[in-house]
Amino acid sequence: METVNTNSEQLIDKFGRTIDYLRISVTDRCDFRCVYCMEEKMEFVPRAQLLTLEEISTIARAFTELGVSKIRITGGEPLVRRNILKLFEDLGQLPGLTNLVTTTNGSQLPKLASDLKQAGLKRINISLDSLDAEKFRRITRVGDLNKVLEGIDAALAAGFEKIKINAVILKNRNHEEVTDLVQFASERGMDLSFIEEMPLGVIDDHDRAEAYYSSDQIREDLEKTFTLLPTTENTGGPSNYFRLAETGTLVGFISPHSHNFCGDCNRVRLTCEGRLLLCLGQEHSVDLRHVLRSNPGDLEKLKQAIRESMDIKPEGHEFDLTAKPVIFRHMNVTGG
Ligand code: SAM
Ligand code: SF4
């Protein structure tokens, strides 16, 4: 584990898990419409209901004072939120926050990569599901592969400490590209994680059970070309990692279905409306926006609400690809 906790206080849930990782969705909006994440036509949260960037910073401060050492800025597409660089600059100053990262679809990186680096961001995850422009367009509905590849080049040129590619793999859409994606990442010194699709929100594009392509299947495919050495390394998230003997690349698998990751869950999520979600796959939550706005300037009240939220963190998700979705929020709202 790379995160070091400098605070004496820690958030511990009733199953004894220490929570030191917060994922923040700064917007539910996005310039893409990935088929596993959204429907083609989406209604977004009215801007007035969003947390302001100042409110996000205040909540982040409260969490770091409670021992959280890793924060991921995500969405929706975080880099389409206005003045987002200011948020990175502010969070970069928080004592105890040793690991500030973001996940982006890469479309804004040609113009923002270098500013993000300047703002103090050290690590970045970029989503890339296909290296074929047409398939990429089909998966993202509107995305332009060249723009994202340009964004990856810009991130590489900006000199981030670490860049990781995220790829959601769907059967018959991009499953035959897993080896090419690993090759692409390793040639550029980037790591890569494969993600199993999760049943978050109703989607109209495909049947999630039919499109399921397991992490084990991906590993088998990769083993035709690479030697995957198991490693206990972890980056404080849900990935299970292997190292490629040939290139040293770290390849992760996020496998909510085939290898449930709840037992050592260390994270909670803040939606763009200020709802603190205690689990990705359950609805247990606390309205931190309400706490914040009813007690202006009172960080202690906010910290108390966060401490108390630990009592309702559920043991785990109950994802079932064959059943109707029970979680109606899409991933862009949840903060993937
Ligand atoms: N827009 C940014 C991006 O795409 O990287 C950040 C937000 S996105 C919700 C974060 C990650 O969640 C992406 O890697 C995306 O591929 C993944 N994701 C979205 N919907 C998903 C789903 N239903 N199941 C699994 N992963 C999903
Ligand atoms: Fe946008 Fe990311 Fe969802 Fe794709 S996965 S629609 S890029 S938020």
Side-chain angles (χ1 to χ4, degrees), residues 23 25 27 29-32 34-38 72-79 102-106 125-129 165-170 193 195-201 203 206 208 254 256-257 280 319 329-336:
R23 301 172 74 113
S25 171
T27 177
R29 285 161 204 261
C30 185
D31 51 342
F32 289 4
C34 302
V35 293
Y36 45 74
C37 178
M38 294 191 185
R72 178 174 304 282
I73 300 300
T74 179
E77 175 46 43
L79 303 187
T102 193
T103 301
T104 171
N105 65 22
N125 287 5
I126 306 173
S127 298
L128 177 70
D129 299 332
I165 297 295
N166 277 347
V168 174
I169 300 302
L170 304 181
S193 274
I195 308 175
E196 288 179 352
E197 184 181 9
M198 301 173 214
L200 293 173
I203 52 162
H206 59 276
R208 296 200 202 255
I254 301 178
H257 305 291
L280 174 67
F319 288 150
R329 68 188 135 74
H330 289 90
M331 190 63 131
N332 64 310
V333 174
T334 308

Side-chain angles (χ1 to χ4, degrees), residues 73-223:
I73 300 300
T74 179
E77 175 46 43
L79 303 187
V80 301
R81 172 111 193 219
R82 202 171 322 141
N83 292 332
I84 192 69
L85 287 171
K86 172 81 170 72
L87 182 71
F88 283 103
E89 279 161 13
D90 290 350
L91 298 193
Q93 306 298 317
L94 288 177
L97 184 63
T98 51
N99 202 346
L100 174 62
V101 288
T102 193
T103 301
T104 171
N105 65 22
S107 68
Q108 308 301 309
L109 286 176
K111 64 171 191 267
L112 287 183
S114 138
D115 290 344
L116 283 164
K117 178 73 180 23
Q118 291 284 322
L121 188 70
K122 296 199 176 66
R123 295 165 171 228
I124 189 160
N125 287 5
I126 306 173
S127 298
L128 177 70
D129 299 332
S130 175
L131 292 164
D132 175 303
E134 216 172 284
K135 280 192 199 150
F136 185 85
R137 172 61 62 98
R138 242 182 281 138
I139 293 173
T140 58
R141 288 202 182 94
V142 288
D144 175 358
L145 175 65
N146 279 331
K147 197 82 189 164
V148 173
L149 295 180
E150 232 181 87
I152 291 173
D153 284 345
L156 287 164
F160 288 99
E161 208 171 78
K162 191 163 139 182
I163 303 177
K164 189 173 85 163
I165 297 295
N166 277 347
V168 174
I169 300 302
L170 304 181
K171 191 160 146 191
N172 295 332
R173 294 209 177 234
N174 60 348
H175 80 262
E176 69 294 343
E177 284 196 70
V178 295
T179 304
D180 290 348
L181 285 165
V182 169
Q183 201 81 52
F184 174 86
S186 45
E187 279 166 11
R188 290 160 180 78
M190 304 185 293
D191 294 332
L192 178 144
S193 274
F194 291 110
I195 308 175
E196 288 179 352
E197 184 181 9
M198 301 173 214
L200 293 173
V202 176
I203 52 162
D204 49 13
D205 176 79
H206 59 276
D207 180 322
R208 296 200 202 255
E210 267 172 33
Y212 177 58
Y213 201 75
S214 74
S215 295
D216 289 348
Q217 185 62 59
I218 299 173
R219 263 180 60 194
E220 236 175 73
D221 296 347
L222 295 179
E223 276 164 352

